[in-house]
Amino acid sequence: MYNKRLWHQLTLALLDFVKHPSFSDGDGLIQLYQNFIADFETKINPLSLIEIIAYVVKQIADPNEAIDFLEKMKEKVKSSSDATVLCMILIGQLKLIQLKDVDGTKLVIEETEKLLEALDGITEVHGRFYELSSNYYRLIGKHAEYYRDALRFLGCLEVDKMNKEEQMERAFYLGLAALLGSGVYNFGELLAHSILDSLVGTEKQWLVDLLRVFNAGNIQAYEELRPLWTTQADLAANELSLRQKISLLCLMEMTFKRPANDRQLTFVEISNEARLPIEEVELLVMKALSLGLVQGSIDQVDQHVRMSWVQPRVLDKTQIAGMKKRLENWCKDIRSMELLMEKKACDDILT
């Protein structure tokens, strides 16, 4: 293929060749690049070239040397945005995993994100970027950011291609991030994802159950699961914030379940459902209003809240069934009004 200058076919062959298990040790791929690939690298598709280089740099023992090598390759493929981004992702991985350079990784992520925004649609490198950024956010403990980018990463690949252990690890960290993440009140997308199936039937299934409980704002079930979730150090250490989050979700669910023309909630109803002292109800509603989770007004004198809007969320099957029932009732009300107007019109004509 080299003699015939069949560069595309040669590139495909090399992409398979560098993955061979025999190259897991030694410097065979380094030799391959220096003595063969370097001779015609300008003929190779830039993104494919960096895909090959991704395996080559694994054999460079010194991470700083590997980064220097990737910087030189980045200059060679600067005409291709995809290849440049992939180069930067590989540099970020080296900084994060091998050098533990958190600040350096942050700079790479920020620079790479700007380049990604200029690309049209979702490309092959988006998944790798979200993998890098989610790993970075997990390392520095930014739960909400990790949750966002980890979900994006899962949206860029087929879960079946991950081994069982990796699926379980991803699912567990995602579940924790959803619960602990500041501003994360939408669990529907995660609950609908097949990644959580990896935890079903295992000793960590309680996390899936807890996510469903939070999504439903079920305070009673939350308390029943306490002996399980308090065994996880991060959750136990953030018990107060978890209690506040599920109380807010409880208020959102109460609002969501009510028909649009009957969203007046009394302080007593909220107190009973959220299991809070009645004097704390107003603070809970004010918190929900300030976060933009609901819209409405508070009547302190009569002690009730009139809700006009609740933040949209990804719904589970139970919530969808509830919405279907409300739509059916709404259709019946419209039909009743239609019949009433017809009768009224007939009476007016006759008189």
Side-chain angles (χ1 to χ4, degrees):
M1 287 184 284
Y2 175 80
N3 292 331
K4 293 181 179 180
R5 299 181 181 275
L6 300 175
W7 307 125
H8 177 66
Q9 291 85 339
L10 182 56
T11 299
L12 295 178
L14 283 170
L15 283 169
D16 286 333
F17 186 64
V18 295
K19 298 174 186 177
H20 196 276
S22 62
F23 291 119
S24 57
D25 297 314
D27 64 349
L29 292 178
I30 298 175
Q31 297 298 324
L32 177 68
Y33 172 76
Q34 293 175 343
N35 299 315
F36 184 56
I37 298 175
D39 183 52
F40 60 93
E41 61 184 12
T42 58
K43 309 294 184 182
I44 300 177
N45 173 277
L47 182 58
S48 297
L49 174 61
I50 302 305
E51 291 279 9
I52 294 169
I53 295 302
Y55 289 90
V56 175
V57 294
K58 291 178 181 179
Q59 296 190 343
I60 301 177
D62 185 342
N64 288 305
E65 287 185 14
I67 291 173
D68 290 341
F69 177 64
L70 285 169
E71 290 286 0
K72 294 175 182 177
M73 293 304 304
K74 187 176 73 169
E75 186 63 25
K76 293 179 180 180
V77 298
K78 62 183 180 181
S79 61
S80 169
S81 298
D82 287 1
T84 301
V85 167
L86 182 53
C87 249
M88 295 175 68
I89 292 170
L90 295 175
I91 291 171
Q93 289 172 343
L94 287 167
K95 286 180 179 287
L96 182 66
I97 299 171
Q98 295 196 37
L99 295 178
K100 311 298 181 185
D101 181 3
V102 175
D103 293 335
T105 305
K106 179 184 177 183
L107 292 174
V108 171
I109 288 174
E110 291 174 347
E111 187 179 350
T112 306
E113 192 166 24
K114 292 177 183 178
L115 293 176
L116 275 179
E117 290 173 356
L119 299 179
D120 294 328
I122 301 298
T123 67
E124 296 178 27
V125 297
H126 276 79
R128 295 194 184 192
F129 171 75
Y130 293 133
E131 181 180 21
L132 170 65
S133 60
S134 62
N135 288 338
Y136 164 75
Y137 289 127
R138 180 166 68 86
L139 186 65
I140 64 174
K142 287 196 171 184
H143 303 295
E145 289 82 356
Y146 169 77
Y147 180 72
R148 178 196 65 203
D149 282 5
L151 277 179
R152 289 174 174 176
F153 167 63
L154 291 178
C156 294
L157 84 164
E158 296 178 18
V159 175
D160 293 341
K161 292 184 178 180
M162 301 167 65
N163 60 50
K164 181 69 172 178
E165 291 72 21
E166 189 178 356
Q167 288 184 37
M168 290 179 65
E169 182 182 56
R170 280 278 171 184
F172 187 73
Y173 285 132
L174 262 170
L176 292 183
L179 295 169
L180 297 172
S182 175
V184 179
Y185 295 96
N186 189 345
F187 298 82
E189 187 176 355
L190 176 58
L191 286 170
H193 203 287
S194 61
I195 191 75
L196 289 184
D197 294 341
S198 63
L199 297 179
V200 175
T202 72
E203 61 181 9
K204 293 180 179 177
Q205 179 168 335
W206 61 265
L207 181 58
V208 181
D209 297 334
L210 188 61
L211 287 168
R212 293 196 177 107
V213 164
F214 266 75
N215 193 55
N218 190 331
I219 307 291
Q220 179 179 345
Y222 166 78
E223 295 295 345
E224 290 172 354
L225 285 171
R226 175 183 294 276
L228 293 173
W229 62 259
T230 50
T231 60
Q232 210 289 322
D234 291 330
L235 296 181
N238 289 275
E239 185 172 350
L240 289 177
S241 62
L242 289 174
R243 184 61 171 83
Q244 184 183 69
K245 176 175 280 194
I246 196 169
S247 297
L248 289 167
L249 286 163
C250 176
L251 178 63
M252 291 175 70
E253 191 67 14
M254 288 180 71
T255 305
F256 174 75
K257 286 179 178 179
R258 293 291 187 98
N261 60 352
D262 182 25
R263 283 185 169 173
Q264 180 170 293
L265 307 173
T266 67
F267 280 24
V268 173
E269 288 174 330
I270 298 172
S271 174
N272 292 337
E273 194 74 18
R275 298 195 175 190
L276 287 173
I278 199 162
E279 59 269 18
E280 293 183 17
V281 168
E282 187 176 354
L283 291 174
L284 175 67
V285 177
M286 290 174 65
K287 181 72 173 179
L289 290 170
S290 67
L291 291 172
L293 302 177
V294 295
Q295 291 178 5
S297 58
I298 304 173
D299 187 330
Q300 294 174 311
V301 177
D302 293 334
Q303 292 203 319
H304 68 246
V305 182
R306 182 174 294 279
M307 298 298 190
S308 59
W309 177 86
V310 61
Q311 185 183 90
R313 294 185 292 162
V314 177
L315 306 179
D316 61 22
K317 292 181 180 179
T318 302
Q319 291 167 324
I320 292 172
M323 179 176 281
K324 177 176 178 289
K325 186 175 181 180
R326 289 198 298 278
L327 286 171
E328 289 173 347
N329 291 334
W330 181 63
C331 290
K332 289 178 182 177
D333 291 341
I334 292 176
R335 180 58 180 163
S336 298
M337 181 60 69
E338 182 184 1
L339 293 173
L340 180 63
M341 292 180 68
E342 287 179 357
K343 184 177 184 301
K344 178 67 175 174
C346 290
D347 292 343
D348 289 343
I349 292 172
L350 292 175
T351 57

